[in-house]
Amino acid sequence: MVRKEVLLAVLGLLVLFAVGCPSKSNELSYGNILYETSVPAGESIPGTELQYVGLTDGRAQVLIKGQQAAKQKGDSLSWKGPVRDGVELELALRVLRYTEEALSVAGTAKVIVRDPDPVRAEIPEDAPLRFSNAPVVYTVKRGSYIPGTTLEYLERSEEGAKLGGVEGYPYFKTGDSVVWEGQIHEGVYLQLNARIGVITDSTLALAGTANLWIVPSGGEAGAHR
C-alpha cells in the first residue's frame, strides 16, 4: 500500500514539474526506496558491514562495522558506506523479527552512483542487491540525456517529443511510457520506467520509478556474502 501511494504521488507531479535537472550529471541519486530483506545467521547484507550473528538471551546479535550490538523488534539498524568504487549505499532499517536462523529488517535505502556511464546491457536479475520502485522526477533540457540512460531529448514536434537512442518509433506524447534498461556503472544496472509529462521546445519532463541491481565489489550474483 505504501509503495502504491509513493508511486501515485510521483506520477501526480507529471503536470506540475518545477524541478530542474542538470543536462550532464556526474552523480545519480536514488532515494526513498522501500527496502526489506532477510539475513541468514552468520551472513551480512551484501556489500555492507551489517552481519547477523544469531540469538543471545532472546535478542538479535548484530555486528555493525565489526562492533557488536544487541537488537530487539523495532530497533534501528543503519549503515552507510561504499558497496563498490563510486557507488554508495545508505540504509535506514528497523528490525522486523528474528530467529536463530535469520534476521528480517525493513526500512529505506538510498543509492548514489558517481561518474555514471550508461550503456544498454542485460540485467543480472540475481544480483545480490536489488532495490525496487525508487521514485524519480526529471526535467531534461533539449539536447541532453534522460539521467542514467542513453535516451536524448532531441525536439518537440507535432508527433510529440522526439527521443534519440530509441529502438524504433522515436516520438512520445504526454502520458506515454518510456522504458530503458542497461548498465549505468560497473556492477550497477538500471531499469527506468517513466511517463512523459510536459513537453516544451526547451525541456522535457518525466516521472516514474527506477529499479536497481548492484553487484558489490567481490560479490557474486545470487548469494549473501
Side-chain angles (χ1 to χ4, degrees):
M1 186 67 179
V2 175
R3 290 184 176 89
K4 182 178 180 181
E5 292 174 353
V6 171
L7 177 58
L8 290 175
V10 172
L11 295 179
L13 295 174
L14 281 170
V15 294
L16 297 173
F17 280 106
V19 180
C21 182
S23 58
K24 291 184 179 180
S25 175
N26 292 324
E27 181 176 291
L28 296 172
S29 180
Y30 303 94
N32 298 316
I33 310 170
L34 298 178
Y35 181 64
E36 182 176 342
T37 191
S38 180
V39 187
E43 298 188 16
S44 305
I45 295 177
T48 77
E49 295 175 274
L50 289 177
Q51 181 182 7
Y52 180 46
V53 177
L55 283 181
T56 301
D57 297 329
R59 293 191 294 176
Q61 302 299 316
V62 182
L63 289 180
I64 306 174
K65 296 185 177 180
Q67 296 182 313
Q68 190 161 331
K71 298 290 182 177
Q72 300 186 97
K73 290 182 181 179
D75 285 353
S76 65
L77 192 60
S78 301
W79 189 84
K80 180 179 180 180
V83 292
R84 59 180 309 126
D85 289 344
V87 183
E88 187 169 282
L89 173 63
E90 183 174 345
L91 298 175
L93 308 173
R94 292 279 174 178
V95 174
L96 290 181
R97 55 190 172 274
Y98 46 86
T99 65
E100 291 183 359
E101 290 76 28
L103 169 72
S104 295
V105 294
T108 61
K110 180 179 181 180
V111 178
I112 295 175
V113 181
R114 296 184 174 85
D115 299 319
D117 185 19
V119 294
R120 288 190 178 273
E122 184 177 349
I123 293 174
E125 297 195 7
D126 59 346
L129 283 171
R130 178 174 179 176
F131 303 97
S132 302
N133 298 319
V136 293
V137 179
Y138 298 131
T139 298
V140 183
K141 294 180 180 179
R142 189 177 66 179
S144 298
Y145 291 86
I146 298 173
T149 78
T150 56
L151 303 178
E152 181 184 6
Y153 176 42
L154 298 177
E155 62 180 359
R156 181 178 72 165
S157 70
E158 292 182 356
E159 290 83 4
K162 184 178 182 181
L163 298 183
V166 174
E167 297 178 355
Y169 191 71
Y171 296 97
F172 298 80
K173 295 184 180 295
T174 296
D176 285 351
S177 61
V178 176
V179 177
W180 187 91
E181 295 184 353
Q183 180 177 276
I184 58 175
H185 187 284
E186 184 179 359
V188 183
Y189 300 82
L190 167 71
Q191 180 187 69
L192 177 70
N193 193 335
R195 289 193 179 272
I196 300 291
V198 177
I199 305 169
T200 72
D201 290 333
S202 58
T203 61
L204 172 66
L206 307 94
T209 59
N211 297 328
L212 297 168
W213 290 260
I214 303 176
V215 180
S217 296
E220 296 182 357
H224 288 265
R225 69 169 193 167

